[in-house]
Amino acid sequence: MRWPRQADEYGTNLHPASVGSGAVRRLHAEIRWIVNAFREDTAIYSTEGGLGEVHVGIEGSVSSGFASADVRRLARRGSGLLSDGSIRHKAFRLGSTEPPLVTLLKELQGPVVAVTTLALCLTGYHVLLSLECLAFALIIFLVSNRVLSTPHTQTDPSGQPHIRPTPLRVLLEWSTVSALLAFLATALKFTQLFPNRALLTWFIVTPVALLTSNYGTIHLTRWWNSRRGLHRHIIIGATDIGIELAKRVGQESSPGNFLGFFDYRDRQRLPAVAPEQWAGACNDVADFVQRHAVDAIYIALPISTAPRIAELLRELRDTTASIYFVPNLFAFDLVQPRCMEIHGIPALAVCETPHRGMSGLRKRAIDMVLAVMALLLFGPLMLIVGAAVKWSSPGPVLFRQRRYGLNGEEIFVYKFRTMVVCEDGAIVTQATRDDQRITPLGRFMRRTSLDELPQILNVLEGKMSFVGPRPHAVAHNEQYRKLISGYMIRHKVRPGITGWAQVNGLRGETDTVEKMRDRIQYDIDYMNNWSILLDLKILVRTILVVLRGDRAY
């Protein structure tokens, strides 16, 4: 005869034969000991064995099918776990799929090339290597390791790979290394050990050697990857992002062996998938992976199918394949998208400024240098123009107008006054061709952009940049932000004296919403593709546009 089981207040099943006052007290004492042992941890521990299972939570609920000795033994074992599966005990890390040796080669390539070229130059000039030379070589290695970029390939929006860093970036980075080393060599009196000709030769030869070694490293790593054998992979989800992933992986020099797509939909509903690329339904993925020894699995299912993705992950835990989740983030209207971690939690920036971190420092440093140079160069001209404005018509020399700056904050933008009025209210009428409000001198200044010169002071203040979206009057901002979606995104960066829209024919009056929408699209395009090289390109094209006097009135 089987005795019915009872449950105590903790939910523990008790056999009637053991429901004696002493047995119950001992069992309760053991349970309380376990609960107290785990109460300091906020996580839930789970230990599985052949006899039963123990689950302990912060509220102290315990269910046990073990004998007391087994419970205590497993409790001690569980208390040593480093992570319990909760989000509070997990961290996100940006990683790489490269083999360790390839990563080591890329990391050491730049510093090793810099030191090797120095040794060759010194040998060529018959300099005996000494302990001081080794010390200087160590300094070169450490400085180069911190400044020089590792060679890699970057895929552009069209899917074409390009080798990075670019020759211009290599030259800029090596110039920085050279300046630092020249300072250190002078301060530590290393220059007395080496002939000037040897150092000059080294400074000239090294960037060429770096460019050559960058290309050589990329091709060597490709050859290394191809020698490792075919990389067998599948894609779960014949979505747009999955099909694009298969296309880009297939463009690699060693693409591996693509075994096909899996999807929850029928093959007939996937016309974009070629018959030879169809591998089967998602129900058969786990068996397929085991039978074909798949190395990598890319899950390209929509984010909305999270329950199915979780089910797939449970089924694939019995395999040794690497699993990657590839969400279709391109379906969103992204601005400067990037992956990052915030205190160990993965995050995707969907609308961000390009001027974070060192990018912002470089942008600001270049603005300051250009502003000082521009003041020295155009300072006398600005005084002459200011006197001419004062003499030609009554009113202030400088026109101060409220506009939106970085993050939508109101700033005052300076310009030489070109009109007989100084509008800065709720309604601001844009300048038009043959506008009667414009003075004769003002018409010349607007055509030659001389009226914009005082904005150099805005750049020095940190309110503007030389290149960025052109600021509009506050009244125009409030008008167009209601008519154009994403209008305020352009204020994620400092406004500029010139911009990408202006050098592409969108300079002057915007008398229709369509013209303003085109200008905003160019501003956002500038933010998405920003680089120091793009800023320099815009500055050069601005000079050409000003000389032609296009659409300025």
Side-chain angles (χ1 to χ4, degrees), residues 19-76:
V19 183
S21 58
V24 172
R25 282 197 299 269
R26 285 194 301 272
L27 182 58
H28 283 190
E30 292 170 353
I31 291 174
R32 282 194 297 271
W33 179 86
I34 298 171
V35 171
N36 292 331
F38 281 93
R39 193 178 294 275
E40 296 179 358
D41 299 327
T42 59
I44 296 177
Y45 290 84
S46 174
T47 306
E48 297 184 359
L51 299 176
E53 200 173 81
V54 174
H55 296 282
V56 183
I58 59 174
E59 299 300 329
S61 61
V62 179
S63 63
S64 176
F66 290 99
S68 58
D70 292 330
V71 170
R72 191 165 288 158
R73 175 175 53 83
L74 290 170
R76 287 195 298 269

Side-chain angles (χ1 to χ4, degrees), residues 153-216:
T153 56
Q154 181 176 336
T155 304
D156 61 19
S158 63
Q160 296 299 321
H162 299 280
I163 294 179
R164 294 290 187 270
T166 61
L168 179 60
R169 185 176 182 87
V170 170
L171 188 60
L172 291 175
E173 290 177 350
W174 179 244
S175 299
T176 303
V177 172
S178 301
L180 290 173
L181 292 176
F183 171 76
L184 292 174
T186 303
L188 301 176
K189 298 181 180 180
F190 281 122
T191 53
Q192 303 173 3
L193 303 175
F194 313 118
N196 292 334
R197 289 183 300 172
L199 294 178
L200 181 62
T201 303
W202 177 60
F203 284 137
I204 296 174
V205 170
T206 302
V208 179
L210 287 172
L211 283 173
T212 305
S213 62
N214 284 347
Y215 283 91

